[in-house]
Amino acid sequence: MSRRVVVTGMGVVAPNGIGVPAFLQAIQNGVSGIKFMPRYQELNFSCQVAGMPNFDWASLSNYISDVTLHGLKGTNIGYGLVAALDAWADSGIAYDTDEPRWETGCVFGNSIADTEAMKNVIIRVDNKEAKKLGSRVVEQAMNSGVTSYISGRLGLGNKVITNSAACATGTQAILMGYEYIKHGYAKRMVVGSAEHVDTYVYGAFDSMRVLSRKYNDQPEKASRPMSATAGGFIPGSGSGALVLEDLDFALERGARIYAEVLGGSSNSGGQRLGGTMTAANSTGVIRCINEAITTSGIDPQQIDLISGHLTATNADRQEIQNWAKALNRTGEDFPLTNSLKSMIGHSLSAAGSIETVASILQIAHGFVHPNINLDDPNPEIINMVSIDKLPIKMIKKEVNIVAKANFGFGDVNSCLILSKFN
């Protein structure tokens, strides 16, 4: 028996808003979260702007005990905890439980541990002071630290998994949670992903020359997906989280339902046919989109909105071309398309989960958020699709079905089909 899967709670820590109300207002109004970072100027980085959440570390005392908070230094864990616990509260369920919640699991993605926090470990070990590290280091160094903190706080007793698939991580985590519920392995899943792009990770990307370096003096204009003047992506940080539930289970407890996950797909282009560690194989991308549509039981013509990966690199043109081929839709027939990265940058592992929260908010509140900084569209893109399908101002309209996709390093792809709940 195949079960329907719905979204009953959401939480977000984004560069332009922490918490769903603030984030909703920001994306409706095209508010950028990209800021100049003096530290990156001091480090002589070429790109000196970033999407960094205005995160109050002390606010974690509202979510976890003082004992747990003491010694916690992993910023990605902090982001993930707030997003996941906000999503849980939003779903209407109390945090505390005496018994494990056997029906509920967690798939939460991450890339690497906070290397700034790990710097202290390296220095102490190299100085022959390992005994001074304390007992909290390993739990923050392990890649599964985020899921361990979330599941421990909520007492989750079903599958608890940390996934990692570069930029496809967030949407893949949501898809995995969806599949566990659909096939009856769980009744409820907390899903999402977190990322903190610290100075060492940032520096590594800066050395690749894939980051924009043209707008250090105009941070809000720096992230320019689909633009002729796009000069590379802007790293962002944060977390997005959803509570997914079996429809009958949700209805039984009278839960509010934001949207339904109709289906999805995750695959790899195998780093063949033009695909590499850093470039997508178009055949794999198109297969991923088509498989998502097939598993969802919809027609490509039903898609109202594409929430693209669209990072503000040379890959934007190829991505639009892949969507056009996969959906067999071009020109005026192409769906409305937007990229949240224009406002928050590219949050790497967290991108898919934050962008999925944005996609569901557009379904729930009937609008399409703008593509900011798209005042000079790439001519090769508007030769394929109508410029009217790339909105630069918010559009108020009913949004029934969204295709949300992400494509990551390693030639990995993931695509979700999200729908208004009927």
Side-chain angles (χ1 to χ4, degrees):
M1 175 183 171
S2 183
R3 295 158 175 82
R4 294 176 68 182
V5 180
V6 293
V7 180
T8 59
M10 295 194 292
V12 64
V13 174
N16 63 348
I18 296 177
V20 167
F23 181 64
L24 171 61
Q25 185 175 25
I27 66 172
Q28 286 179 323
N29 292 287
V31 176
S32 174
I34 310 297
K35 305 175 186 71
F36 175 71
M37 307 292 287
R39 176 64 175 149
Y40 299 161
Q41 185 180 50
E42 292 170 14
L43 292 168
N44 201 29
F45 289 173
S46 297
C47 178
Q48 297 167 5
V49 299
M52 201 67 70
N54 186 22
F55 190 75
D56 178 11
W57 195 255
S59 69
L60 280 169
S61 63
N62 299 320
Y63 296 86
I64 54 179
S65 70
D66 290 341
V67 172
T68 304
L69 180 56
H70 180 72
L72 179 60
K73 298 184 184 300
T75 308
N76 55 333
I77 294 174
Y79 291 162
L81 269 171
V82 169
L85 295 179
D86 278 357
W88 188 263
D90 189 43
S91 73
I93 310 170
Y95 287 158
D96 296 325
T97 178
D98 293 329
E99 295 290 324
R101 291 180 162 109
W102 303 115
E103 77 291 334
T104 305
C106 179
V107 181
F108 220 84
N110 194 28
S111 56
I112 59 174
D114 182 338
T115 56
E116 285 179 326
M118 293 305 103
K119 180 181 177 181
N120 176 57
V121 178
I122 296 166
I123 290 171
R124 285 197 178 278
V125 170
D126 285 349
N127 288 338
K128 302 176 182 178
E129 297 175 335
K131 292 178 181 178
K132 296 181 181 180
L133 286 173
S135 60
R136 302 291 301 283
V137 170
V138 171
E139 65 198 45
Q140 296 177 62
M142 62 191 191
N143 202 39
S144 56
V146 179
T147 45
S148 298
Y149 273 86
I150 293 168
S151 59
R153 178 65 182 90
L154 298 175
L156 306 185
N158 205 281
K159 300 175 187 298
V160 175
I161 295 171
T162 304
N163 71 306
S164 191
C167 315
T169 298
T171 35
Q172 186 187 71
I174 296 165
L175 177 62
M176 290 170 70
Y178 158 81
E179 290 173 336
Y180 289 140
I181 297 171
K182 179 184 177 182
H183 296 298
Y185 301 126
K187 295 285 190 182
R188 183 190 296 119
M189 296 292 294
V190 178
V191 296
S193 56
E195 185 78 77
H196 173 55
V197 183
D198 60 48
T199 52
Y200 302 103
V201 174
Y202 202 111
F205 277 107
D206 198 64
S207 73
M208 290 179 68
R209 305 179 68 84
V210 296
L211 307 186
S212 175
R213 58 192 65 199
K214 300 176 183 177
Y215 293 90
N216 289 335
D217 58 341
Q218 297 176 290
E220 294 182 356
K221 294 183 179 296
S223 187
R224 309 178 67 81
M226 298 181 286
S227 165
T229 51
F233 74 86
I234 304 297
S237 295
S239 179
L242 308 176
V243 175
L244 303 181
E245 294 191 56
D246 172 278
L247 174 60
D248 293 337
F249 190 62
L251 292 175
E252 195 176 287
R253 69 178 187 87
R256 173 191 52 192
I257 295 173
Y258 279 106
E260 181 172 1
V261 183
L262 294 183
S265 176
S266 182
N267 74 358
S268 170
Q271 299 181 45
R272 300 292 188 275
L273 305 177
T276 68
M277 179 64 74
T278 57
N281 166 357
S282 289
T283 303
V285 169
I286 292 167
R287 283 178 66 95
C288 182
I289 296 168
N290 286 336
E291 287 168 3
I293 290 167
T294 299
T295 64
S296 300
I298 65 163
D299 187 281
Q301 287 291 329
Q302 292 178 268
I303 294 172
D304 299 308
L305 173 65
I306 293 170
S307 174
H309 190 55
L310 299 168
T311 58
T313 63
N314 291 332
D316 289 0
R317 178 200 57 78
Q318 183 181 15
E319 180 180 338
I320 294 295
Q321 184 178 57
N322 291 337
W323 281 108
K325 287 182 179 179
L327 305 182
N328 194 26
R329 297 175 64 177
T330 57
E332 289 288 344
D333 186 44
F334 198 74
L336 287 164
T337 301
N338 56 20
S339 173
L340 186 66
K341 294 179 180 71
S342 65
M343 294 183 232
I344 69 169
H346 185 3
S347 303
L348 306 179
S349 289
S353 57
I354 297 173
E355 290 161 10
T356 299
V357 172
S359 297
I360 292 168
L361 287 173
Q362 290 171 97
I363 292 171
H365 293 273
F367 73 97
V368 174
H369 74 65
N371 295 289
I372 70 171
N373 301 323
L374 191 55
D375 41 31
D376 59 338
N378 185 322
E380 293 184 77
I381 289 177
I382 57 175
N383 282 340
M384 291 183 278
V385 304
S386 168
I387 193 170
D388 295 335
K389 299 301 179 178
L390 312 176
I392 58 174
K393 293 184 178 179
M394 182 186 76
I395 298 173
K396 289 291 290 182
K397 76 179 296 290
E398 186 175 11
V399 178
N400 289 305
I401 295 180
V402 178
K404 166 71 237 143
N406 294 97
F407 315 110
F409 275 19
D411 197 7
V412 289
N413 313 304
S414 57
C415 181
L416 297 169
I417 305 296
L418 308 163
S419 167
K420 185 184 290 288
F421 172 68
N422 297 306

